[in-house]
Amino acid sequence: MPHKLPWPLLNRVAFGLAVLLRWAHELAMPPLTRDMQTQTESAVNLLRGHGISLARANWLDLSAPVFEPLNLWPPGYAWLLAGLLRGGPPEVLAATQATHWAGLLGLLLAWWYLLKPLRRDLAPYAPTVVFLFWGLSNAPFHLLFGTDLLALACYSGGLAVLFNLLTRPAGQRHQLLGAALLMAGLGFAACLFRFAYYPLAFFLPLALLLFGWRWRPRLVRPALAGLLFLVALICGLLLYQARVAGDAYYITKFYTQLTTEPAGAATLGLYWHHLLQFDPVLYHSFFSNELDFSRLPTGAGLRTAAVLLVSAVVATGLWRGWRRVGRAAHRRGRLWPTRPVLFHLLAGGTALLCAGLLTAISLRYPAALVGWFAGGRWTYVADTRYFLPAFMSISAMVLVVAVSRPALRPAGLRAAVLGLLAASLLLAVATRGRRTARLLLTEPAFSIDKAPGRPADVARLDRLLRTAHPGQPIIVGRNYYNKRVEIAARLAGHVILDVDSLLAHQPLRTSQPVMMLFDLNPNTPPTPAVADFLRRHHVRQRLWLPALGADILSLEILPGSAGRP
């Protein structure tokens, strides 16, 4: 009989297994996306004494590169990574992976404590179901990496503290105050990683203040203290962004690349047609893009049908679940904030606030014309990963509805919800489980360094980049794109230049001799212009890296109109 099983122990085992599964799953994820590479580069420059910045070539004097303050993100990730790298060799990939694993552990721990007050309203096996689902499922974790993961972990921690404050018996005043300040601090920590968490961070103390004013006056003072603490922290961060980074991107300006106006400028309006690009949030809370419908003759129609069917099941399940807890919470004709009611209000409020923020921004600002997004027109409500707080909240609410006591009615709806969860799991296991299992049985290296001989070549490249010009930026030129060489160079704090830029700025200007490492494509003969450039600067070979397909040359650019000796 299920009720006779040692569920408290099994629930803890399931939680630990979910953490291990997510950690293993991280090995199959790209260790450095473009966004992560940029922020990691800024952390390396911080350690070199240039602040949180990105190195750029100074065409007026190559010996004095320009370090532009990083403004696309808050400084939290750069501070965190710089702290991990301080005092030792720059094992950047290991530090990056460590932040991912810490973020996953923090996120799951936050939800363990967030769901704890609901235990008496759930089946005894509920934590096992919830955490094994999250351990195996692709969604909502398929886009959780880097600062998104860390920000969501911090916010979920603040939400867990808030929920425990609202549901536990009234404690001592100093205990309430400490918990409220911790809640505000975790909300602020999320803002340190992503600008999008500003409204969500304020949601935490404001929800506590509203609850205290309406139902528990003892919580009003702690709520006000938490709100003032958060305001002070946010003001400090905004002051930092204004004075150090120059602006707070997505707060003082918004991302737009229209052909009719300069980059960074935006014409305010009411762009209602952007809502037609609204991401199917209910669908993506359980299914990522594992199924490539485009390969099927009627793929577009099948995807639309799948989105509508899944969204209908999710919406109906949530509505029926809310009606059940709402009816149970009515006392003397008015709603009483029971634990299930508070949980649905907090999780649903998070999802609505996230979607509302993206909707407001998308309505007011024009779409960006970019080549990397389907259709070429990007706006906030169209980007799936921006809805991560909503995905996590919707997933949690559906799981809670599925394992609540009494069981969801009618029986057909409960079967549909359970079938949805089962289909999500089966698809995840079929598409990603095999790869994750294979990685578990291999040496825990990083995916971009797994080719035979590649780790040794990368180590030689890193050694050259650290010792060729100790403590000083190096110009790294190239006549082709080699991702692994670029990552190594940028994470060593050096300046990357394409050969087109080098040739376009002839003669090169410098007040002091500048070392340049040139990444020459060994598979294609250099063009006459590139060959002449290398010959004029007396190039010599420094490193041949066959596993990376790179031939690293070195040359020196001397002061003078053309850099000639």
Side-chain angles (χ1 to χ4, degrees):
M1 296 291 292
H3 65 277
K4 293 183 179 180
L5 293 175
W7 285 114
L9 174 61
L10 293 177
N11 290 335
R12 287 174 172 79
V13 171
F15 174 82
L17 184 58
V19 172
L20 293 177
L21 287 170
R22 295 308 333 166
W23 282 356
H25 192 77
E26 271 291 302
L27 294 175
M29 297 293 286
L32 279 179
T33 62
R34 173 65 65 178
D35 288 358
M36 292 300 299
Q37 181 181 327
T38 302
Q39 294 185 78
T40 305
E41 178 187 351
S42 72
V44 172
N45 287 331
L46 174 62
L47 289 175
R48 287 174 167 242
H50 303 297
I52 300 175
S53 63
L54 304 176
R56 297 288 185 261
N58 179 2
W59 293 111
L60 297 178
D61 187 353
L62 287 179
S63 66
V66 176
F67 291 90
E68 298 178 352
L70 183 71
N71 67 343
L72 283 170
W73 294 273
Y77 186 77
W79 288 341
L80 173 64
L81 200 63
L84 292 176
L85 297 175
R86 185 181 298 276
E91 300 296 339
V92 175
L93 292 179
T96 301
Q97 194 74 18
T99 63
H100 290 190
W101 285 342
L104 279 170
L105 177 60
L107 178 62
L108 293 176
L109 273 175
W111 278 94
W112 174 269
Y113 285 103
L114 202 159
L115 295 173
K116 195 172 182 179
L118 285 176
R119 296 291 172 83
R120 71 184 185 185
D121 301 292
L122 305 178
Y125 51 83
T128 295
V129 173
V130 170
F131 287 100
L132 284 184
F133 179 86
W134 281 341
L136 290 168
S137 176
N138 281 344
F141 291 88
H142 61 293
L143 292 172
L144 274 175
F145 48 83
T147 52
D148 293 302
L149 175 58
L150 293 166
L152 186 55
C154 292
Y155 174 74
S156 299
L159 201 64
V161 175
L162 171 61
F163 192 37
N164 279 270
L165 268 173
L166 297 179
T167 56
R168 72 182 182 183
Q172 298 296 323
R173 181 165 297 179
H174 70 277
Q175 294 175 336
L176 297 177
L177 178 60
L181 294 179
L182 174 62
M183 173 195 69
L186 288 169
F188 172 71
C191 299
L192 283 175
F193 295 108
R194 299 289 297 184
F195 288 125
Y197 282 82
Y198 276 72
L200 290 172
F202 281 103
F203 173 66
L204 301 176
L206 289 175
L208 182 63
L209 180 61
L210 177 62
F211 180 87
W213 171 76
R214 184 66 178 84
W215 286 288
R216 190 177 294 175
R218 287 175 61 88
L219 292 175
V220 171
R221 287 188 178 180
L224 287 173
L227 181 59
L228 292 175
F229 183 53
L230 179 61
V231 168
L233 292 174
I234 294 292
C235 287
L237 181 57
L238 290 176
L239 181 63
Y240 166 87
Q241 290 288 146
R243 296 182 63 87
V244 177
D247 63 76
Y249 217 92
Y250 301 108
I251 295 178
T252 58
K253 64 179 180 179
F254 290 85
Y255 183 69
T256 177
Q257 291 181 359
L258 291 174
T259 57
T260 57
E261 58 187 330
T267 303
L268 295 180
L270 286 176
Y271 299 92
W272 295 104
H273 62 280
H274 288 173
L275 299 185
L276 298 175
Q277 294 181 262
F278 209 100
D279 187 83
V281 181
L282 299 181
Y283 174 80
H284 277 146
S285 296
F286 298 93
F287 297 94
S288 56
N289 294 318
E290 306 100 330
L291 293 177
D292 188 0
F293 290 95
S294 63
R295 296 185 179 184
L296 302 174
T298 58
L302 287 175
R303 187 181 188 277
T304 300
V307 167
L308 292 176
L309 177 61
V310 170
S311 299
V313 171
V314 172
T316 306
L318 291 177
W319 171 245
R320 295 289 297 190
W322 169 252
R323 284 189 62 189
R324 182 181 62 186
V325 300
R327 286 174 178 175
H330 272 89
R331 298 180 181 180
R332 296 187 298 276
R334 64 179 183 179
L335 187 68
W336 188 257
T338 61
R339 286 175 170 83
V341 165
L342 288 172
F343 172 78
H344 284 283
L345 286 176
L346 293 179
T350 296
L352 290 175
L353 190 57
C354 172
L357 171 67
L358 299 177
T359 299
I361 298 174
S362 297
L363 284 176
R364 292 293 285 159
Y365 288 86
L369 304 181
V370 294
W372 46 262
F373 195 76
R377 299 183 65 87
W378 178 92
T379 188
Y380 293 88
V381 294
D383 200 324
T384 299
R385 72 185 181 94
Y386 277 61
F387 289 93
L388 287 173
F391 293 155
M392 198 72 190
S393 299
I394 292 169
S395 173
M397 286 191 291
V398 171
L399 286 165
V400 165
V401 166
V403 294
S404 292
R405 294 187 300 185
L408 182 65
R409 293 288 184 267
L413 178 60
R414 184 169 186 268
V417 170
L418 293 177
L420 169 71
L421 298 176
S424 175
L425 282 183
L426 289 174
L427 186 59
V429 170
T431 56
R432 298 298 294 271
R434 182 179 178 184
R435 184 180 181 189
T436 301
R438 185 173 67 249
L439 288 168
L440 276 173
L441 301 176
T442 60
E443 182 181 356
F446 301 100
S447 58
I448 57 175
D449 291 339
K450 278 186 175 293
R454 179 166 290 186
D457 273 14
V458 170
R460 295 169 62 202
L461 176 63
D462 287 339
R463 193 180 308 116
L464 172 64
L465 293 172
R466 288 198 300 267
T467 60
H469 203 179
Q472 297 297 322
I474 297 173
I475 302 294
V476 181
R478 63 187 182 188
N479 70 330
Y480 74 119
Y481 177 65
N482 188 320
K483 180 178 180 180
R484 194 59 187 90
V485 174
E486 179 182 2
I487 289 175
R490 290 196 184 279
L491 299 189
H494 304 319
V495 182
I496 295 284
L497 290 179
D498 291 312
V499 69
D500 292 339
S501 297
L502 284 170
L503 299 177
H505 286 85
Q506 297 294 323
L508 298 176
R509 297 185 178 93
T510 180
S511 61
Q512 299 178 23
V514 175
M515 169 174 282
M516 173 180 286
L517 295 177
F518 196 93
D519 182 15
L520 187 67
N521 187 353
N523 300 316
T524 303
T527 64
V530 172
D532 179 65
F533 173 83
L534 297 176
R535 183 173 55 254
R536 285 191 289 109
H537 293 285
H538 304 289
V539 69
R540 63 189 181 93
Q541 188 179 54
R542 290 292 299 270
L543 202 59
W544 164 239
L545 304 171
L548 297 181
D551 190 9
I552 307 298
L553 314 175
S554 70
L555 55 95
E556 190 174 32
I557 302 174
L558 301 174
S561 61
R564 292 188 177 90

